[in-house]
């Protein structure tokens, strides 16, 4: 009677072991992401919890983590979500991966200010460890050596924000952009193009010349920037792709955003007033969000654009 009991126990052990081995998602995955801001290393850890999974991944700031949730495995397809804090808002990234052995590849999709952005992800499973630190020793801040000043613990919790110097030099160069929104008397939409800024001899102004295309054809636009270093006021005069002239003043006292107020204008008998927020993402990227009030009504969303500097790595 002992032999059948031992056989059953052995079969049970082998079945459980085989099940554990077929779970190809559990473990530590390392690789990189590739987005409009370039490539960066990343780490993801998946852990089996009951009938589902939990997970964590590197955050957008150094030595921070983001929780992965809504993780689903359907054959070779793996989906998950994660919420990330940015200087502008909290964004949710929807991940879709293909699982093939110890390789996990796919993309993350998010909506940033009304613009659809894709992030390529490529990972390799390096171990089955699910309890270890998310960051390797090389990624963590090094421990100060004797004689070096110890950083205050609370300093590590400071949210890093893009601290671009308020200067016309930030805009100088060529930028590509895609504008997504509704059409108005100010300009057609959607549209895309390139705007090139050149600093003028006075050192206080810059001229921008743009070309682009929309569903009805091609267009040109122009812009003149004047920056007051003392007041951090950016004055803009522009001619839109529809030939409408606009005047605005931007408050650039914050290093991460510029808020523009526009003079009201009348186009074809309609009273219009634009409001714009420019958010500085990095030295080579910024976004704009436009709101429009028509005939004295409330401001409503008009459109959004993502600008990327040409030649930036």
């Amino acid at each position: 009677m002992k032999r059948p009991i031992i056989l059953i126990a052995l079969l049970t052990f082998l079945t459980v072991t085989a099940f554990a081995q077929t779970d190809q998602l559990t473990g530590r995955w390392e690789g990189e992401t590739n987005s409009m801001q370039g490539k960066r290393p990343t780490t993801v850890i998946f852990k089996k919890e009951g009938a589902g999974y939990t997970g964590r991944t590197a955050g957008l700031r150094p030595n921070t983590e983001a929780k992965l949730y809504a993780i689903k495995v359907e054959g070779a397809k793996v989906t998950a979500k994660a919420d990330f804090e940015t200087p502008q808002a909290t964004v949710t990234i929807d991940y879709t991966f293909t699982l093939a052995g110890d390789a996990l590849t796919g993309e993350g999709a998010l909506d940033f200010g009304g613009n659809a952005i894709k992030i390529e992800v490529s990972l390799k499973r390096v171990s089955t460890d699910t309890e270890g630190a998310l960051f390797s020793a090389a990624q963590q801040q090094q421990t100060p050596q004797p004689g070096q000043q110890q950083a205050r613990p609370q300093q590590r919790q400071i949210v890093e924000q893009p601290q671009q110097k308020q200067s016309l030099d930030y805009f100088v160069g060529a930028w590509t952009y895609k504008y997504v929104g509704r059409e108005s008397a100010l300009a057609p939409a959607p549209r895309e193009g390139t705007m090139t800024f050149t600093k003028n001899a006075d050192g206080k102004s810059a001229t921008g010349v743009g070309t682009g295309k929309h569903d009805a054809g091609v267009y040109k636009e122009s812009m003149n920037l004047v920056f007051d270093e003392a007041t951090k006021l950016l004055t803009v005069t522009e001619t839109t792709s529809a030939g409408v002239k606009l005047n605005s003043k931007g408050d650039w006292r914050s290093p991460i955003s510029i808020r523009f107020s526009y003079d009201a204008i009348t186009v074809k008998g309609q009273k219009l007033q634009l409001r714009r927020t420019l958010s500085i993402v990095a030295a080579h990227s910024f976004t704009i969000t436009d709101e429009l009030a028509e005939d004295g009504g409330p401001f409503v969303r008009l459109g959004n654009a993502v600008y990327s500097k040409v030649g930036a790595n």
Side-chain angles (χ1 to χ4, degrees):
M1 294 296 293
K2 291 183 178 180
R3 185 173 296 177
I5 294 176
I6 294 174
L7 184 58
I8 292 172
L10 180 60
L11 289 173
T12 301
F13 171 77
L14 291 175
T15 301
V16 172
T17 303
F19 176 79
Q21 290 177 343
T22 58
D23 180 12
Q24 295 297 308
L25 188 60
T26 295
R28 180 186 184 90
W29 301 76
E30 295 181 356
E32 66 180 18
T33 61
N34 187 8
S35 67
M36 61 183 290
Q37 295 181 347
K39 295 181 179 180
R40 55 177 289 177
T42 192
T43 301
V44 178
I45 293 178
F46 289 104
K47 182 179 180 180
K48 185 71 173 177
E49 292 282 356
Y53 295 89
T54 59
R56 49 198 173 105
T57 184
L60 299 181
R61 305 190 304 275
N63 297 333
T64 62
E65 297 184 8
K67 180 181 178 182
L68 289 167
Y69 61 96
I71 303 170
K72 295 182 180 179
V73 180
E74 299 175 342
K77 182 180 179 181
V78 179
T79 57
K81 295 178 180 289
D83 297 329
F84 295 91
E85 295 290 337
T86 74
Q88 291 77 33
T90 299
V91 296
T92 299
I93 299 182
D94 293 297
Y95 292 102
T96 302
F97 299 109
T98 298
L99 179 61
D102 287 335
L104 194 62
T105 58
E107 66 180 23
L110 69 147
D111 182 284
F112 191 87
N115 295 276
I117 299 175
K118 301 288 186 180
I119 300 173
E120 297 178 359
V121 185
S122 179
L123 301 168
K124 292 287 186 181
R125 188 167 68 163
V126 297
S127 74
T128 58
D129 178 28
T130 61
E131 303 299 334
L134 188 63
F135 305 98
S136 65
Q139 293 172 314
Q140 294 176 346
Q141 294 182 357
Q142 296 181 351
T143 303
Q145 299 298 316
Q148 291 182 330
Q149 184 176 0
Q150 177 75 37
R152 295 180 181 179
Q154 61 267 28
Q155 288 181 336
R156 295 185 179 183
Q157 302 302 318
I158 295 176
V159 177
E160 292 193 355
Q161 306 229 3
Q163 299 293 317
Q164 300 297 325
K165 180 182 179 181
Q166 295 97 318
S167 167
L168 284 177
D169 293 334
Y170 175 77
F171 292 102
V172 172
W175 301 77
T176 60
Y177 67 89
K178 290 185 177 181
Y179 190 97
V180 179
R182 61 184 177 89
E183 190 165 344
S184 72
L186 299 180
R191 60 185 183 273
E192 60 183 87
T194 300
M195 174 68 75
T196 302
F197 290 99
T198 303
K199 197 171 184 178
N200 297 325
D202 61 11
K204 299 180 181 180
S205 64
T207 300
V209 177
T211 58
K213 61 181 180 179
H214 52 81
D215 291 342
V218 298
Y219 64 84
K220 293 183 179 180
E221 57 186 345
S222 62
M223 191 175 295
N224 188 66
L225 313 178
V226 178
F227 183 58
D228 188 322
E229 181 71 33
T231 62
K232 298 296 187 289
L233 185 68
L234 183 64
T235 303
V236 181
T237 303
E238 59 187 294
T239 301
T240 74
S241 54
V244 178
K245 293 186 177 181
L246 299 171
N247 297 307
S248 64
K249 296 184 183 299
D251 182 349
W252 200 358
R253 286 176 295 178
S254 167
I256 65 172
S257 65
I258 310 174
R259 298 186 181 277
F260 291 92
S261 58
Y262 281 74
D263 294 342
I265 61 172
T266 301
V267 180
K268 297 180 180 180
Q270 186 179 32
K271 184 179 179 180
L272 303 172
Q273 186 164 15
L274 185 65
R275 187 165 64 186
R276 172 172 292 172
T277 300
L278 186 153
S279 299
I280 296 175
V281 179
H284 49 75
S285 178
F286 67 86
T287 67
I288 63 169
T289 300
D290 286 343
E291 298 173 293
L292 183 66
E294 300 172 296
D295 293 325
F299 282 96
V300 297
R301 181 65 58 88
L302 177 62
N304 305 84
V306 175
Y307 283 71
S308 301
K309 201 160 195 176
V310 175
N313 294 326

